[in-house]
Amino acid sequence: TGVQTCALPIYAYEALVLSLLFYGSEAWTVSEKMAYKIKIFHRRCVRFMCGITVSQMLSKNLHHADLEKRLGLPNIFSILAARRLQWLGHTFRMPEDRLPRHMLTAWVPTARPIGRPQLTYEHAIMKDLKKLGLERTGWGAIAEDRAKWRGLVKQIRKAPKQKWKVKGKVAQANNLDVG
């Protein structure tokens, strides 16, 4: 009936499930549809670890954010943002002749298709940097200092809750007060 606080399922979830789920996520650009699917999967896993069904949550007026907090799990979107920013800092510190560093600032000169451009990696990174409170041009100097960048990335997972827009509705996520 209550929330289980056994640490083993939580460690297994973080080490096995989340690492498999987010394999290669450093280069993802997540659409609203995909973000919604990731959120649903995470919520289902959290309910399973707590031993609570959806009907029990409704009858006891529980929220998923409460369950995540009791389990000590970070928000799923903060994990994704932290992984992207961790890779961004790593790539930025590479020598300029390395291919990943070239790809960071690459431009493909093609005609623009009709309609709104799809979400690009740059859009996703700029969104994550904005949540950190960093400017579009000033983040490189901070990324050069590995320890400082790593500290900022760690803050994403431990920051207080803020609202993120997912599937046209408001979902809980992390915000940072850096700056």
Side-chain angles (χ1 to χ4, degrees), residues 41-87:
F41 173 77
H42 178 64
R43 286 183 169 183
R44 186 178 302 143
C45 291
V46 167
R47 284 194 311 268
F48 180 79
M49 286 187 287
C50 293
I52 294 177
T53 64
V54 175
S55 61
Q56 289 173 329
M57 287 189 67
L58 292 172
S59 67
K60 296 179 181 181
N61 199 22
L62 292 173
H63 299 280
H64 286 96
D66 299 332
L67 298 179
E68 287 176 6
K69 187 176 179 181
R70 288 181 190 175
L71 291 174
L73 287 173
N75 181 276
I76 198 78
F77 297 112
S78 63
I79 296 170
L80 183 60
R83 289 179 66 114
R84 260 195 309 253
L85 289 172
Q86 185 177 3
W87 175 249

Side-chain angles (χ1 to χ4, degrees), residues 107-170:
W107 176 259
V108 180
T110 60
R112 185 174 163 247
I114 296 173
R116 187 197 181 283
Q118 291 184 351
L119 183 66
T120 64
Y121 183 70
E122 180 187 11
H123 290 126
I125 290 296
M126 290 304 129
K127 218 187 267 189
D128 295 339
L129 288 172
K130 188 176 180 182
K131 284 181 180 54
L132 270 174
L134 298 175
E135 296 293 322
R136 181 184 183 111
T137 56
W139 64 269
I142 299 170
E144 285 291 336
D145 183 359
R146 185 178 183 179
K148 190 172 185 179
W149 187 257
R150 188 175 277 182
L152 287 175
V153 170
K154 281 185 179 180
Q155 275 188 300
I156 294 172
R157 296 179 188 203
K158 298 179 181 179
K161 299 288 182 185
Q162 180 233 331
K163 297 179 179 183
W164 287 33
K165 189 175 179 185
V166 176
K167 191 74 174 171
K169 296 181 180 178
V170 174

Side-chain angles (χ1 to χ4, degrees), residues 8-25 28 38 40-46 48-49 73 76 79 83:
L8 187 59
I10 298 164
Y11 292 140
Y13 177 67
E14 288 179 335
L16 299 173
V17 178
L18 291 181
S19 62
L20 287 173
L21 176 66
F22 287 133
Y23 180 79
S25 65
W28 288 359
I38 291 170
I40 296 301
F41 173 77
H42 178 64
R43 286 183 169 183
R44 186 178 302 143
C45 291
V46 167
F48 180 79
M49 286 187 287
L73 287 173
I76 198 78
I79 296 170
R83 289 179 66 114

